[in-house]
Structures are given as C-alpha cells and as structure tokens.
Amino acid sequence: MYRLILLGGLSLEGPSGPLSGPAVQQKRLSLLALLAASAGNGLSRGKLVGYLWPDTDEEHARHRLSDTVHVLRKELGDEVVLASGEMLRLNAEVVWTDVRELEDALDRGEPGAAVAVYAGPFLDGVHPAEALEFERWVEAERERYAGLYARALETLALKAEDEGDYGQAAEWWKRVAAQDPYDSRLAVRVMEALAAAGDVANALQHARAHELILREELEVEPSAELLEAVGRLREESAARPVAERALRPIEADLAAPMEGPVKRAAYRFALGRRAFVAGALIAVVLGAFALLGEWPTFREPAAERPSVAVLPLVGADPGNEYFSDGITGEVTTLLAKISGLKVISRRSSMEYKGSEKSLREIAEELGVAYILELGVRREGDRVRISAQLVDARSGELLWAEQYNREMTDIFAVQSDAAQRIVVALRATLTPAEEERIAQVPTDDLEAYEYYLRGNDYYYRSSECYVVEDCRIALQMYEQAVGLDPNFALAYAKLSDMHSLIRFWAHDPSSERLAKAWEAVDRAFQLEPDLPEAHLAVGDYYYFSRDYTRALAHYRTALESQPNNSEILLLIGQVRRRWGEWERAATNMREASELDPRSALYAWELAVTYTFMRNYAEAERYYNRAIWLTPD
C-alpha cells in the first residue's frame, strides 16, 4: 500500500520510503490530493480539469487529465485511480491517506489518534502557479482540517478536565490556542486550566502573551472576558509569596532528555563546515541550489532607524583583555536596549577586532551606517575609555570623548556614552529606556569583574559547545553572586549557564535543573522586570520543552532588549516547532541581520526556508552559512 501525506506538506511514499520519478510530479500529486480529500465519493473530470488546468480549453485539459491518470496507473498500478463514467476516485485499498485516517479516527471517537496523525496544515507550502481555483480549494480544505484537529484537541482537553487532570488539560488547550492565537476564549481556557492546576503565575503570563499578540499584531484591546479572568487570578496570586508568584518549577512535567552524545552530534552538525556542506548537498538533491560562481553578498536593505556596530580597539588594555572586551560588550548591550537604534550583536562586532579592513568595508559587511570605536584601559583604580562615533560612509566624526575616571564611575561612563550616542544619531530615547541604561547592576566592583570574566568565557564557549569554557563561566558567575548576593544580573546569567549545561548533557541531572531554578528565582526576587531574568527562565522552559511558557518570557525579554538577536532566534525556533513557518522565518531573519557573522543563525534560517520549500532563500542562507564557517 502507498501512503499519501497531505498534512504538513505533500508527498507519496511506497513500502521502501518516499517515491521519486514521474508519479510525484506536482500536477499528479495534486490530482491525488483532490481525490483523497473527496471523502471517497470522487470528483468529476470536469471539476478536476477546472482545478488543475483552468486556462486550458476543455479538449486539451481533458487530454492532460487522461495522460496524468495514465502515468499514475503505470507507475503505481492500474487500480490506484478508479473510474466510473465521468467520476474518478482514489482507491483506498491501494493508497492510505492521512486525511482519511484523521476523519476516520474522529468518526470512531478516538480524538487522540486524530491528533497524532495531524502533522501540520493541509498541503502546507503547496502553491501551484496559475491555478487560482485549486489555491482556493486548498485554503478551504486547510481550514477544514485545521478545524477538525482543533475539535479533537478540545475533546481531549475537556476529557482531561472531567478527569481532574488540569495540567494535561492546560497542555491540550495550549495546542488549541496555538491554532488560533487571537481567540480570547481559548486564552481564557488555557488560563483557567493552568490556575486549576495550581499554576496561577503562568496563567497570568499566558494572558500577558495573548494581550501582546492582540495589541502588536491586530492593534485591538483584550476582551472583557480575558480582563475579568486576569483580575480574578491576580487576586489569587496576590496572596502567594514573591518567589512563587514569579514562576514555579515544572520538573515533574519534563519529558525525558535526549541522550548527550546525540545532542552534541546534532550541535556539531549545526556548526561544522562539513555539516553545512552536507546540508547544501541535500538542498541540491531537492533542486535548491548550485554552489557555483562567486560568493554572494548579504547586505540587507537599509533600516529606517540608525544602525551601529561597536568595535573594540586592539591593544587598548593587553593585560586585561577580558575587561576591555567586557566593557565594549556592556556598551553594546546598553545600546541594544534602545528601540530607536539597530545594534549589531557583540559576537559579530568582535570578529573585526584587529581587522585591517577600513571602517567603510566593515560597515558594509555588517550592514550598518555608523561605527563606534571603543578603547578601554585600566590603570589601578582608574579606567580610561576613548570613544568615537564615525559615519562609515563619509568618514565624518560625529562624536568623540575621553573618559578618565575612577573605577567606581564605570557604570556612569557607560550610561553617559550610550546617551550621547543616541543624541549624536538623532534617535529617540524613551523614559523607560533612559531608566534602563542608567541602572547600576552592582555596587561591588570585584563582583562585576567576575561577571565580566564569566561573559568572556560564555562567548568563547559558543553557548556551552566548549565544555570547559562553559564550566569556567559558571564558576565566574558563582563568584560574582557570592561577593554580591543582590547582583540580579549575575544570578540570571548563572541560571542560564545551569540550563545550558544541563541541556547539552554535560550534567543532565535534576540537581542541575534545581540550581537553574533557584538562581533565576533569586533574580526575579531582586528585579522582577529584569529582561535577562526573563531570557533565563525562557531558556529554562525551552530546554524543558515547555514552549508556550518559553515564548511568553522571550517576548517579555524582547520588549526591553529589542536588538537581542539571541531572543529573536529563540522565538523563531519556538514558532518553527509549532509550524508557524512565515513568522519563524521573519524572527530568524531579524536575528541574522543583527548577528550577520553568525554561521549558526544563517544555518537555522536556511533550514526553516527548506521546510517552507522556499529553495531560493534556503540556497542563499546555506551559502552564507558555509561562507561564514571557519575552515
């Protein structure tokens, strides 16, 4: 028996796997899809030619239909398509289809089986040219099957509620809500199930995420029903301790972790040059691209907001490179909090440390208009910082300053520089942003130095790919919070390191998970609105495969760090897991623009475009990933 897959894409499989050859040509597969979705009744030849050859005269269109059926029978057997006068139908005894299985499961009263077979939207990614009626039919069927899937999920959610399993009910309701994220009724059902399961904090977080979606994407206010539910839950939450109001551990709900060697191999596949070449060869098989000619350029369209990269000067402080690079990174982070600027990530900017290229060349490769050069030198208890902001296109010096201050003034210097750059670039600074860049993270300079050392090893480790660097970074953050127990930012970083170590299977223990939780809980107690804490807890949930909670925290973090490429990539990864291909690609493309020297980001985007069958863009970013990967 053949298997025709219509949910999540369009493919035909035989006993030995996916088929190739004449039978899987687009029009022939489209014909099988039309017959498969006709509920066994079949379709008339007149309707079929109207769907598939709308611009061809009747005689020639019917001739093409006959040829198509002939090829299918020749390749798959005479009984694959049955004819009865004017009607054609698919033989269910020869071809199994997932859409038929979904409907049969619902008829049998087995919603779980129906959910299991739904792999994604009907004919996802199929867009035949010059076949408007077929396209309309696909959209209608896509909506119908999505509705059947949502109905099955609701049945499972209601059944779980009846059985008192509110935790499972919440998971089912989340999947229903993911089908229609704008439906406040579904958002309320998720909230009510979470609250009934004792998770009021995340019920409120889900409401916040839903409110953001409505306001940002539809520009509408949340419904009265949602606001009423939020008010009720806030009253319940107010009686709980601060730590419990922030989050709650979910260790008991975690799925079994993937084996460490598998994870490490997957990560090497994502980062290694040979892996990129392998991905490129796969794309060649798919007809995606040919690796010929000169390497392409990847300059993105100029953004409306001023764009800037922060470059460290080599040799400014050779004895304390971690410190000079760390201050450069901190200034980058401050600027990244300003929504009126486009700020290139620390990782990409640091690649040009010591580069002999001109500022104009660097700016073109990074896709920015302005370059901020920073030189940092520490001399005992004093620090000297030289800063100059240059228009890379004209070479004009827009602003320059020499700071010679006590180390105790280091945060004031960073804040002053950030504000002056905003003025020089004629960008806007909101009161909230002004407050954020003026914050002093710690009063203990020794703790701050350990924090900078931790950041240095963190960026060396490529997010824990290098085990030893990752463990040293962890130790540095532990030293920082040991010296200053009120250092919320260091606690957030410490939590993230625990999560990363656990996820990459260096230590996949429950104790490691508990340490990640304890650190981020402490960060929230100290600074409830700290964006780095939201990023850390987002990673905690992401690595625990609780993507709904992870996304809510990532979105909150992004509000205060609009230029954080890491958050944008993670949001894109969550949306890709949910099959939201276009939105995932948008987030990943934004991340790649902010971190244009990252091979990993280019790879992730290429993979997403491959899933979308957008092979032209997949080719572009596979090429980019190969080009950016060191030999």
Side-chain angles (χ1 to χ4, degrees):
M1 176 173 278
Y2 296 99
R3 293 171 57 87
L4 181 62
I5 309 301
L6 305 177
L7 298 172
L10 175 59
S11 62
L12 184 63
E13 299 175 357
S16 301
L19 298 181
S20 59
V24 294
Q25 186 265 346
Q26 179 76 45
K27 274 288 195 285
R28 290 162 195 150
L29 283 180
S30 297
L31 173 63
L32 292 178
L34 283 160
L35 296 177
S38 63
N41 300 320
L43 289 172
S44 69
R45 296 174 188 267
K47 278 193 173 183
L48 289 169
V49 299
Y51 282 130
L52 298 176
W53 297 279
D55 298 327
T56 305
D57 64 79
E58 180 77 9
E59 180 181 353
H60 287 90
R62 284 180 173 265
H63 181 69
R64 290 184 180 180
L65 175 61
S66 297
D67 283 347
T68 300
V69 173
H70 172 73
V71 172
L72 288 171
R73 287 172 173 168
K74 179 181 177 181
E75 296 292 321
L76 307 177
D78 291 338
E79 299 300 314
V80 65
V81 177
L82 303 177
S84 178
E86 179 70 4
M87 303 296 291
L88 295 179
R89 66 182 179 86
L90 190 66
N91 189 345
E93 295 182 2
V94 175
V95 182
W96 175 94
T97 64
D98 50 3
V99 292
R100 180 69 176 271
E101 179 64 24
L102 185 149
E103 293 187 282
D104 287 349
L106 289 175
D107 290 342
R108 296 193 305 267
E110 299 176 4
V115 167
V117 80
Y118 188 87
F122 180 75
L123 295 193
D124 192 29
V126 176
H127 304 287
E130 300 177 0
L132 182 59
E133 287 303 315
F134 182 79
E135 188 74 19
R136 289 174 177 169
W137 173 80
V138 169
E139 288 299 324
E141 291 298 291
R142 187 171 293 162
E143 185 175 349
R144 182 168 75 87
Y145 286 113
L148 293 176
Y149 172 59
R151 191 180 87 191
L153 288 170
E154 287 208 26
T155 302
L156 291 170
L158 293 170
K159 182 174 182 292
E161 287 181 347
D162 290 341
E163 295 172 352
D165 189 354
Y166 292 104
Q168 183 59 62
E171 295 306 311
W172 291 126
W173 282 120
K174 287 177 189 176
R175 292 177 67 175
V176 182
Q179 296 297 298
D180 188 356
Y182 309 113
D183 190 333
S184 293
R185 177 188 71 87
L186 297 176
V188 171
R189 295 306 298 255
V190 174
M191 293 165 56
E192 289 175 342
L194 286 170
D199 193 1
V200 175
N202 280 289
L204 290 170
Q205 187 63 52
H206 185 85
R208 177 172 173 77
H210 180 69
E211 178 184 352
L212 285 172
I213 290 174
L214 293 180
R215 285 181 170 157
E216 290 180 7
E217 300 182 19
L218 299 184
E219 298 183 353
V220 299
E221 296 298 313
S223 67
E225 180 186 14
L226 182 76
L227 294 176
E228 181 182 344
V230 168
R232 185 172 63 252
L233 292 178
R234 279 178 177 161
E235 290 179 3
E236 297 176 20
S237 178
R240 304 178 68 182
V242 173
E244 294 182 15
R245 291 202 295 268
L247 307 164
R248 82 171 173 88
I250 56 164
E251 182 175 352
D253 301 330
L254 301 186
M258 188 187 300
E259 290 299 320
V262 176
K263 285 185 178 176
R264 287 192 288 275
Y267 199 65
R268 291 190 184 98
F269 180 81
L271 288 178
R273 182 181 181 87
R274 291 182 181 178
F276 289 131
V277 174
L281 291 175
I282 291 171
V284 168
V285 173
L286 295 172
F289 58 93
L291 298 175
L292 298 175
E294 297 180 356
W295 289 116
T297 57
F298 299 105
R299 295 183 61 189
E300 305 291 345
E304 293 182 2
R305 50 187 180 155
S307 52
V308 62
V310 184
L311 303 186
L313 293 178
V314 174
D317 197 358
N320 292 284
E321 193 169 8
Y322 80 90
F323 182 80
S324 57
D325 288 353
I327 296 300
T328 303
E330 290 299 283
V331 172
T332 303
T333 300
L334 287 181
L335 293 175
K337 295 180 179 182
I338 301 170
S339 58
L341 297 177
K342 173 188 173 183
V343 183
I344 298 302
S345 74
R346 166 184 172 145
R347 262 185 292 255
S348 284
S349 295
M350 282 291 181
E351 283 206 18
Y352 291 93
K353 182 178 180 180
S355 173
E356 296 181 357
K357 294 181 178 180
S358 68
L359 291 185
R360 185 184 185 93
E361 289 174 314
I362 294 173
E364 287 181 352
E365 291 182 9
L366 291 177
V368 298
Y370 305 98
I371 297 290
L372 172 66
E373 291 186 297
L374 281 184
V376 182
R377 179 181 290 276
R378 182 176 178 182
E379 298 176 350
D381 294 331
R382 299 191 67 81
V383 60
R384 294 184 178 182
I385 299 178
S386 61
Q388 59 178 30
L389 181 67
V390 179
D391 184 327
R393 294 163 296 190
S394 65
E396 178 186 359
L397 180 64
L398 301 180
W399 168 77
E401 187 67 67
Q402 295 282 340
Y403 297 95
N404 186 354
R405 303 284 186 87
E406 297 288 338
M407 269 293 296
T408 51
D409 292 333
I410 188 65
F411 303 117
V413 170
Q414 294 175 29
S415 177
D416 181 74
Q419 294 190 55
R420 289 176 181 271
I421 291 163
V422 170
V423 172
L425 295 179
R426 298 180 181 178
T428 58
L429 189 64
T430 69
E433 290 169 346
E434 187 172 358
E435 182 179 346
R436 279 197 292 270
I437 66 175
Q439 286 178 334
V440 176
T442 177
D443 294 326
D444 191 315
L445 293 179
E446 188 178 0
Y448 185 60
E449 285 197 55
Y450 275 111
Y451 168 78
L452 293 180
R453 288 182 185 271
N455 287 348
D456 181 46
Y457 279 99
Y458 170 75
Y459 284 106
R460 289 190 206 178
S461 73
S462 298
E463 298 180 355
C464 284
Y465 179 55
V466 181
V467 180
E468 188 58 29
D469 285 344
C470 190
R471 293 193 184 280
I472 294 175
L474 180 76
Q475 293 169 9
M476 295 298 103
Y477 294 135
E478 287 176 335
Q479 290 285 348
V481 299
L483 289 166
D484 182 2
N486 296 319
F487 197 169
L489 185 58
Y491 274 112
K493 290 284 191 176
L494 178 61
S495 173
D496 218 12
M497 293 307 298
H498 281 304
S499 293
L500 287 166
I501 289 174
R502 180 181 183 275
F503 181 72
W504 292 116
H506 306 321
D507 179 10
S509 64
S510 58
E511 290 79 9
R512 183 68 63 182
L513 182 70
K515 288 179 179 180
W517 166 256
E518 290 169 4
V520 78
D521 189 38
R522 177 61 177 160
F524 269 110
Q525 291 180 49
L526 292 167
E527 291 190 39
D529 297 323
L530 184 68
E532 288 84 358
H534 280 286
L535 173 58
V537 79
D539 284 347
Y540 175 92
Y541 283 128
Y542 181 87
F543 297 146
S544 302
R545 302 191 179 102
D546 188 338
Y547 303 118
T548 300
R549 294 181 194 173
L551 181 61
H553 283 284
Y554 288 150
R555 289 173 66 94
T556 300
L558 191 64
E559 290 180 46
S560 301
Q561 294 189 335
N563 287 285
N564 191 312
S565 59
E566 181 182 355
I567 298 174
L568 285 164
L569 179 71
L570 288 163
I571 290 174
Q573 288 175 326
V574 170
R575 285 173 167 161
R576 187 172 67 189
R577 287 178 179 273
W578 288 345
E580 298 177 4
W581 307 112
E582 292 290 349
R583 297 175 73 186
T586 297
N587 293 133
M588 291 181 176
R589 190 166 54 250
E590 291 173 353
S592 189
E593 289 172 10
L594 293 172
D595 202 345
R597 304 295 298 175
S598 171
L600 176 59
Y601 284 25
W603 167 263
E604 290 284 359
L605 189 50
V607 169
T608 303
Y609 278 126
T610 300
F611 287 148
M612 297 168 67
R613 294 179 174 83
N614 185 343
Y615 299 126
E617 286 299 290
E619 172 188 2
R620 178 187 183 210
Y621 285 98
Y622 277 125
N623 282 345
R624 181 172 182 173
I626 296 169
W627 178 53
L628 290 170
T629 305
D631 291 331

